Amino acid sequence: MPSITIHDVADYAGVSRATVSRVLNNNPAVDQALRLRVEDAIQALGYQPNRTARRLRAQSSNVIGLIISDIRNPYFLSIIQGVEDVAYAHQMSLILCNSDEDPTKEQMYLRVMEAEHVAGLIMVPSQSSEEQQLSRLKKIGIPVILLDRVADDFEVDAVKVDNERGAADAVRHLIALGYRRIATITGPVHLTTGRERYTGYRSALEANGLAYDEALVKIGNFKTESGYQLTRELLAMAEPPDAIFVSNNMMTLGALRALREQEIRVPQEMALVGFDDMPWSGDLYSPLTVVSQPTYELGQEATNLLLRRLADPGLPFRTVILQTRLIVRESCGAKLRS
Amino acid sequence: MPSITIHDVADYAGVSRATVSRVLNNNPAVDQALRLRVEDAIQALGYQPNRTARRLRAQSSNVIGLIISDIRNPYFLSIIQGVEDVAYAHQMSLILCNSDEDPTKEQMYLRVMEAEHVAGLIMVPSQSSEEQQLSRLKKIGIPVILLDRVADDFEVDAVKVDNERGAADAVRHLIALGYRRIATITGPVHLTTGRERYTGYRSALEANGLAYDEALVKIGNFKTESGYQLTRELLAMAEPPDAIFVSNNMMTLGALRALREQEIRVPQEMALVGFDDMPWSGDLYSPLTVVSQPTYELGQEATNLLLRRLADPGLPFRTVILQTRLIVRESCGAKLRS
DNA sequence: ATAAGTCTGGAAAACGATTTCTCTGAGAGT
DNA sequence: ACTCTCAGAGAAATCGTTTTCCAGACTTAT
């Protein structure tokens, strides 16, 4: 119960606490014989330095904060794992928070991170207008890395994916397959992900001489239910689309569900391309053609960026943009038409 | 950069640090006027008590450690959310670790938790023989709650699901539908989940007068690949089964993939019942009939158990057993046969 | 042989909060 | 009016480390 402190080790080895500390921190100015004696004592007592005390003294911790916007979304799983793996390799722990897309909760967690004196923070912001909070954190000296949803011009480190190009790839693919009436279900415009994927959709249409039709654009909230509803709306149109590009994984599931419910064959009667791959995307009712994000790498990259900044706070800010990859399965109809 | 301390607040309000501390902790022995002055100062400076210092002084923290065995498995998502929600409601933070089913990593994280002086620990053990580590943690006075994989007799608090009954429900359902040659793909015997689901399978067979056939039992490792391989083995048998009960979600995905690959129609040519529901289980190639675990509640319950123990360390140990629910979709063939 | 310089390791001051102890002053009781 | 009591607030110790400063001891050069 009363855990062993540096004091106990010092007593056991018959030296001062300072010496034990020096041994722990590999300070060369300690005699070999003493060092061994101290190390024996540490072994014998099973001593483990108290991280809290260390942190207090050092005014810095080896804890990374990670704020996710929706932990129920499997998209974040490999991201978390990417972060965790890199953090683990650098002996850092992870505090995980789930803002649940709720700005209040997010704000509260930001304060927790501050009080917790985490070394740095990786976050998927729930809303774009959090700049004041971020600048507040920056003022305290906690480095922040933004993930996934990132305005390019804001002066922080950030990691994201080339959303516009990814979306354009998907839509271009549909066009190449011969679809002409391509709808999109996209995300909220106040999130860069929603905006950029929409832009990609639109630019691909225009680059290929297809008319842009406002009626074919539905704005969802990245949740399954919204994908389901909006797909039904599209199906109810007088002149429904022949293909849908859905800009995230959960809404794609919703779309698929709506289509199946109405017994619309995918891709024969409606082609579908989604955003975000999942390990089971190929096992779905209709194996999904998707724009795949390198999620694990996103997590890794974010953590690397953070470690880099911790090592050298003076570096210029950087936004790392990773590329997506179009994975062609069956929901787009490529196999049918080729 | 130099964050505001209790000292600054004291200076600003013209009182001693002790008084500020008293205000913070709602100590009644402080004059109303002074209290207001201090609160103003706190507001004005935007002061936030340093949790590290608090933790050091109080020798206890408001951090809960959560060690998961495989973060890539969506099964843990709602568990994490359940834990997070309850923790959040009690102003506690979460340190998340992923042991990756690796005992070495797990051991290392246990040490981190110890050094981190977390208030308590919720863990999904990667192996059953960790008793020495657990008792070590218990010796230090960190309460541990075991989750999911739990030996009933071990004297810790634990939360699990009634695996045997869940498995038996599934198999009984298959039997009722008329299947007679029912195989199972189960988990490692050294995990209670694997063992108990196997027992449930076997007892359901025997209770219904069906012969138990060793050849129809395959032992996997709870990963997709293993479900895939073992299903292929079952299919390659001279006399293949007519139904398979797979004892976790990932292996069920593997099974489904193997079946689809060989163009075996589910459930017409092979019925399938899995363990663990996922939000998209109904959207798969064949909508899965599954034994659903109340994952969110598991997380909640584990956290409640932990909070309960933190509040009163003297309580007797308790194992909470939640019930599963059979969700009937199409992969078992119920709709065809009814 | 002595002075200067190098090592070693101990004592003590931080880090920021809490808590016990102590002291001051005001109010009450005689 | 004097003492006793008690409330309220400050001083100081404490939590477990790290780190600076300093004092001895030993080495080396003159």
Side-chain angles (χ1 to χ4, degrees), chain B residues 56-318:
Chain B
L56 177 60
R57 170 66 223 212
Q59 295 291 74
S60 80
S61 70
N62 49 1
V63 174
I64 294 178
L66 177 59
I67 302 184
I68 292 294
S69 64
D70 173 16
I71 202 168
R72 287 200 125 111
N73 188 335
Y75 167 66
F76 292 112
L77 281 183
S78 336
I79 291 191
I80 296 178
Q81 172 137 43
V83 172
E84 215 257 354
D85 281 355
V86 176
Y88 173 78
H90 290 79
Q91 349 252 29
M92 307 198 76
S93 323
L94 216 59
I95 289 202
L96 177 77
C97 301
N98 172 33
S99 70
D100 236 344
E101 301 283 8
D102 173 355
T104 313
K105 218 174 152 188
E106 178 178 78
Q107 170 114 24
M108 180 269 194
Y109 273 134
L110 283 176
R111 279 220 294 279
V112 169
M113 293 298 172
E114 183 185 338
E116 203 68 68
H117 276 250
V118 295
L121 185 55
I122 298 175
M123 80 182 276
V124 181
S126 70
Q127 294 213 331
S128 61
S129 61
E130 312 288 348
E131 306 192 1
Q132 64 278 29
Q133 296 174 19
L134 292 177
S135 60
R136 182 161 171 239
L137 272 180
K138 277 169 62 193
K139 213 175 295 163
I140 315 166
I142 300 183
V144 180
I145 312 288
L146 256 35
L147 191 53
D148 186 39
R149 303 161 179 185
V150 179
D152 293 316
D153 55 341
F154 194 57
E155 42 168 23
V156 277
D157 290 307
V159 181
K160 56 176 287 198
V161 123
D162 191 340
N163 289 300
E164 189 168 336
R165 177 163 154 192
D169 283 351
V171 175
R172 199 177 312 117
H173 179 70
L174 285 170
I175 295 174
L177 289 173
Y179 300 100
R180 285 298 169 265
R181 206 167 153 65
I182 303 172
T184 188
I185 297 177
T186 186
V189 286
H190 63 270
L191 294 180
T192 55
T193 42
R195 227 168 31 235
E196 291 171 357
R197 290 172 199 171
Y198 162 75
T199 309
Y201 159 80
R202 184 157 183 177
S203 70
L205 285 189
E206 287 166 357
N208 287 276
L210 287 187
Y212 168 76
D213 181 353
E214 184 91 31
L216 292 177
V217 176
K218 297 289 181 183
I219 296 182
N221 65 3
F222 281 153
K223 307 243 170 170
T224 308
E225 179 60 20
S226 124
Y228 174 81
Q229 285 300 342
L230 297 173
T231 302
R232 287 173 61 102
E233 287 182 22
L234 287 172
L235 292 175
M237 287 174 72
E239 195 182 351
D242 54 4
I244 311 179
F245 165 61
V246 190
S247 74
N248 96 322
N249 54 0
M250 300 314 274
M251 292 196 300
T252 308
L253 278 178
L256 198 60
R257 201 167 294 168
L259 291 168
R260 177 177 226 171
E261 198 174 276
Q262 308 211 358
E263 295 184 351
I264 293 176
R265 287 174 306 152
V266 178
Q268 293 86 342
E269 300 171 79
M270 178 73 77
L272 198 60
V273 176
F275 217 95
D276 305 322
D277 194 32
M278 300 180 290
W280 44 84
S281 289
D283 302 308
L284 292 170
Y285 163 58
S286 173
L288 292 179
T289 291
V290 293
V291 178
S292 162
Q293 296 195 46
T295 46
Y296 184 79
E297 288 77 8
L298 281 172
Q300 279 187 313
E301 207 53 57
T303 316
N304 282 329
L305 223 50
L306 180 56
L307 292 171
R308 188 185 73 113
R309 176 146 311 279
L310 290 176
D312 184 355
L315 289 169
F317 293 113
R318 192 203 286 182

Side-chain angles (χ1 to χ4, degrees), chain A residues 1 48 51 55 71-72 77 81 84 94 96 98 109 111 115-116 139 257 280 282-283 285, chain B residues 1 48 51 55 71-72 77 81 84 94 96 98 109 111 115-116 139 257 260 280 283 285:
Chain A
M1 172 92 205
Q48 267 240 282
R51 289 194 177 206
R55 195 169 303 163
I71 202 169
R72 288 199 126 111
L77 280 184
Q81 172 137 42
E84 217 256 355
L94 217 59
L96 178 76
N98 173 31
Y109 272 135
R111 280 220 293 278
E116 202 69 69
K139 214 175 293 161
R257 201 168 294 169
W280 45 84
D283 302 306
Y285 163 58
Chain B
M1 171 97 205
Q48 268 243 281
R51 292 195 175 204
R55 195 168 303 161
I71 202 168
R72 287 200 125 111
L77 281 183
Q81 172 137 43
E84 215 257 354
L94 216 59
L96 177 77
N98 172 33
Y109 273 134
R111 279 220 294 279
E116 203 68 68
K139 213 175 295 163
R257 201 167 294 168
R260 177 177 226 171
W280 44 84
D283 302 308
Y285 163 58

